[in-house]
Every structure is written in C-alpha cells, then in structure tokens.
Amino acid sequence: GQNIDQPTEMTATEGAIVQINCTYQTSGFNGLFWYQQHAGEAPTFLSYNVLDGLEEKGRFSSFLSRSKGYSYLLLKELQMKDSASYLCAVRDLSNDYKLSFGAGTTVTVRA
Amino acid sequence: DVKVTQSSRYLVKRTGEKVFLECVQDMDHENMFWYRQDPGLGLRLIYFSYDVKMKEKGDIPEGYSVSREKKERFSLILESASTSQTSMYLCASSFAGSFSGNTIYFGEGSWLTVV
C-alpha cells in the first residue's frame, strides 16, 4: 500500500495563493491525482501527474517529483467557491486500477 | 458526461438489518469501486470489480460483500449492519488500464446511519 500524507487544514484569503503538499511512499508509482470535494458532495477530478514537472490548468497547477515522493497542488487567485477538501491519490503499478487516497486537506477561503 | 448514480442518498437502518447500496454507471467502464469516507481517515477501498462477476477485496472488506451481475451495476451489501458502519459510501467507476489521465469518477455518495 501507500502512505499518503497531506496537511489537515489550511486557511487563506480571497485572491491569495495556497499550496497543498502531498507526500507518498509506494512500491510502484503509476500516477498521482488531485480531487476537489465540496462538503456533502462527490470528489471531482482536478489534475493528473505521472511525469516530473508542473501541469497547469487555469488557476490550478499540480507539481510532481517522483524521486522525492512529493506533489503539490497550487491554487491561485483564490475564490470563495474554492473552499473545499482537496484529496491527493496515488495509483500503484502493481494494481493499476486502484487509487489510494490521502485523508484530504480542508481549505477555507476567507473574504 | 460520465454519470455514476447511487440509488439512495440518505439511509437510516437498524443494527442487524441487511442493507443494499446500489450503483449504476453509464460509461461502459470495466472497473467499479466502493469506498467509505470517514472524517480524518479519507477514502478507504472496500471492494472493487474489474469485470462482471469478478470482485476483489480492498483494504477494509470485513462486514461487506458485493455483487456485479451486469457491467453497469455494482452493489454493496451489509449483511448485518452495525453502528461502526455508519459512514458515507462512495461508488466509483473507471476504464481498465493505466493510460494517461485515466481517472475514476464518483457517484454523489450515500450517507448511511445505523442506529
């Protein structure tokens, strides 16, 4: 299995930038996913990294370093609607249809 | 758009009852999953299925069973519900394989309370 660690909570101001870190340990890394989950709703897919580097999608970017077992999700120009839980998930080569999830980081955006 | 539909959004059941949670997906996905989500623990995999009538245990299968008689439908069964099974249950589906960007899609969740 994987040990996936991410901070429990983060708070930021509207318009600011927040970086959510995720570290993982896996025997056969095969991709890292970030999901957004609003309270009471299903997780929705945000980003996918399998190679080292930065993937940018509008206000959201995700970075991966496989050698360090490290990823981050960067949220820019924060809006109130970005208040949600952000889940880091890792896919393992030995079981490539299974994702293992971190406990999630709750981001609160304040006016 | 991919649609994963869970039959019940909110359920209240008594200890010892048999509980069925149904899930249907409309994208012809090979893989289907059942997770439960608890505060501070994140999503934990209960069971998954990679084909009709095929199933594999996830990380926490105890107290649960599953059924996949048709490709689009995956059912989670609690044979004898206990209060420790009070949780949010999420069904998900995906294509087979690890091709770039292959992600899983979630249903809206079923909140189960066992009293």
Side-chain angles (χ1 to χ4, degrees):
Chain A
Q2 295 84 28
N3 292 322
I4 303 171
D5 291 313
Q6 50 182 129
T8 305
E9 294 180 335
M10 302 183 77
T11 302
T13 306
E14 197 173 14
I17 297 172
V18 71
Q19 178 175 314
I20 307 168
N21 296 323
C22 172
T23 58
Y24 63 89
Q25 294 175 315
T26 180
S27 54
F29 177 80
N30 191 241
L32 187 143
F33 298 78
W34 284 96
Y35 286 81
Q36 180 189 60
Q37 186 178 24
H38 286 101
E41 298 181 10
T44 56
F45 170 73
L46 283 180
S47 70
Y48 169 74
N49 295 73
V50 68
L51 299 176
D52 291 350
L54 188 68
E55 295 281 341
E56 296 188 80
K57 274 189 181 181
R59 294 188 299 113
F60 293 180
S61 305
S62 57
F63 171 82
L64 175 68
S65 169
R66 289 172 294 170
S67 62
K68 294 182 180 178
Y70 168 70
S71 172
Y72 67 73
L73 180 70
L74 194 68
L75 287 62
K76 293 180 274 191
E77 300 169 21
L78 278 172
Q79 301 176 9
M80 300 299 287
K81 67 178 181 179
D82 298 329
S83 291
S85 183
Y86 292 85
L87 311 177
C88 174
V90 173
R91 187 164 61 195
D92 191 295
L93 189 63
S94 62
N95 269 318
D96 62 10
Y97 36 72
K98 286 170 61 177
L99 290 184
S100 295
F101 285 81
T105 300
T106 300
V107 172
T108 302
V109 181
R110 292 182 175 166
Chain B
D1 279 355
V2 175
K3 193 157 181 68
V4 181
T5 304
Q6 296 182 226
S7 57
S8 303
R9 193 90 165 98
Y10 300 97
L11 307 93
V12 180
K13 298 292 181 179
R14 295 190 182 278
T15 300
E17 273 193 81
K18 191 169 186 175
V19 181
F20 292 88
L21 299 179
E22 306 285 346
C23 176
V24 177
Q25 50 94 5
D26 66 357
M27 276 299 291
D28 204 33
H29 284 162
E30 292 85 8
N31 300 331
M32 295 190 75
F33 310 82
W34 275 105
Y35 288 88
R36 65 176 281 178
Q37 186 174 31
D38 301 287
L41 297 177
L43 275 81
R44 293 179 292 167
L45 182 64
I46 304 171
Y47 266 98
F48 62 94
S49 169
Y50 52 90
D51 201 351
V52 175
K53 296 191 186 296
M54 306 303 288
K55 59 185 179 185
E56 296 261 350
K57 293 180 180 179
D59 299 318
I60 51 163
E62 295 78 20
Y64 303 95
S65 63
V66 290
S67 172
R68 193 163 180 204
E69 297 297 318
K70 293 184 178 181
K71 190 175 185 179
E72 67 271 19
R73 188 179 297 269
F74 193 35
S75 303
L76 180 69
I77 303 153
L78 288 68
E79 294 290 341
S80 178
S82 69
T83 55
S84 65
Q85 293 176 310
T86 292
S87 187
M88 178 172 174
Y89 291 87
L90 284 162
C91 176
S93 70
S94 76
F95 290 112
S98 60
F99 57 88
S100 177
N102 185 22
T103 186
I104 65 174
Y105 297 88
F106 287 91
E108 293 205 336
S110 298
W111 293 88
L112 172 66
T113 301
V114 183
V115 297

